[in-house]
Amino acid sequence: MQNQAFTDDFRTQFDLLMRLRRDVRRFRTDAIDEAVLTRCLDAFRLAPSVGLSEPWRVIRVKSEVARGAALKNFQAANEQALAGYSGETAQLYSQLKLSGMQEAPVQLAVFCDEASDKGQGLGAGTMPEMRRYSVVSAITLFWLALRAEGLGLGWVSILNPDQLARDLNVSADWKLVGYFCIGWPENLSDTPELELAGWEQREDTLPIEVR
């Protein structure tokens, strides 16, 4: 394989893909073709991982019991988060849609296996958190693969990770990295929903310090 740059057209399309990646909270309930989902999940196998440890562990949350427990977890954590705000900020927070758990047809919980001996500890001795960074890298590739298929992903971080691990009955060595809602977006935008809602603004430039 030759070491050369991709075409201008490819780079333009890739830039568009990243701009439209967006965290999705509003989904249609249409089912996802299993072949398409499998094709996207294959992106995990292409991801970099420290020491080639491949520490990601994926749980498909499919049963009514498991989904109900995850939703209850989110609702409790969301109420607690709301209590931490006051005034206009609390009012704005209460109006935000922060998960698509009641609509998204596919939901995944992705963990990092902190005790995996795969990779023989290479690169994780001084920075064990590199295992979790590896999982995040894999999730990012999966996210882009979904968007390329027209699908969207919503990352739910407002929940109790220890409770979710107990509810899903996973190994004590597995640490939650993210809970994900996946489905067909109601609409597309290159602007983050939190920015549209007035919660925060994206930086126009990347600050870089020099030492």
Side-chain angles (χ1 to χ4, degrees), residues 112-123:
C112 176
D113 185 352
E114 303 282 357
S116 175
D117 58 4
K118 192 173 191 297
Q120 304 179 68
L122 192 157

Side-chain angles (χ1 to χ4, degrees), residues 123-139:
T126 52
M127 293 182 64
E129 63 271 25
M130 284 298 297
R131 293 190 182 95
R132 297 193 193 187
Y133 297 161
S134 298
V135 178
V136 173
S137 295
I139 291 165

Side-chain angles (χ1 to χ4, degrees), residues 83-99:
Y85 297 104
S86 61
E88 292 182 0
T89 303
Q91 177 65 22
L92 178 55
Y93 184 93
S94 69
Q95 297 171 352
L96 296 174
K97 181 172 175 56
L98 297 173
S99 95

Side-chain angles (χ1 to χ4, degrees), residues 6-136:
F6 288 93
T7 65
D8 289 344
D9 182 62
F10 177 90
R11 289 194 296 272
T12 297
Q13 292 297 308
F14 184 62
D15 179 74
L16 178 61
L17 178 66
M18 291 190 291
R19 291 177 184 276
L20 293 177
R21 174 201 51 78
R22 302 285 60 84
D23 195 336
V24 177
R25 286 87 180 270
R26 303 175 192 277
F27 296 95
R28 307 199 312 265
T29 57
D30 311 46
I32 300 173
D33 184 281
E34 287 295 318
V36 173
L37 180 61
T38 298
R39 186 160 62 239
C40 293
L41 284 167
D42 280 346
F44 272 82
R45 299 187 301 107
L46 300 177
S49 62
V50 63
L52 200 57
S53 57
E54 299 180 306
W56 39 78
R57 304 291 181 265
V58 181
I59 299 292
R60 185 162 181 178
V61 185
K62 198 170 184 179
S63 72
E64 290 186 12
V65 172
R67 287 199 180 199
L71 178 60
K72 181 179 179 181
N73 188 331
F74 163 75
Q75 291 170 336
N78 196 41
E79 289 179 7
Q80 183 177 7
L82 175 59
Y85 297 104
S86 61
E88 292 182 0
T89 303
Q91 177 65 22
L92 178 55
Y93 184 93
S94 69
Q95 297 171 352
L96 296 174
K97 181 172 175 56
L98 297 173
S99 95
M101 297 171 78
Q102 292 178 291
E103 303 85 19
V106 173
Q107 296 178 35
L108 304 175
V110 180
F111 295 82
C112 176
D113 185 352
E114 303 282 357
S116 175
D117 58 4
K118 192 173 191 297
Q120 304 179 68
L122 192 157
T126 52
M127 293 182 64
E129 63 271 25
M130 284 298 297
R131 293 190 182 95
R132 297 193 193 187
Y133 297 161
S134 298
V135 178
V136 173

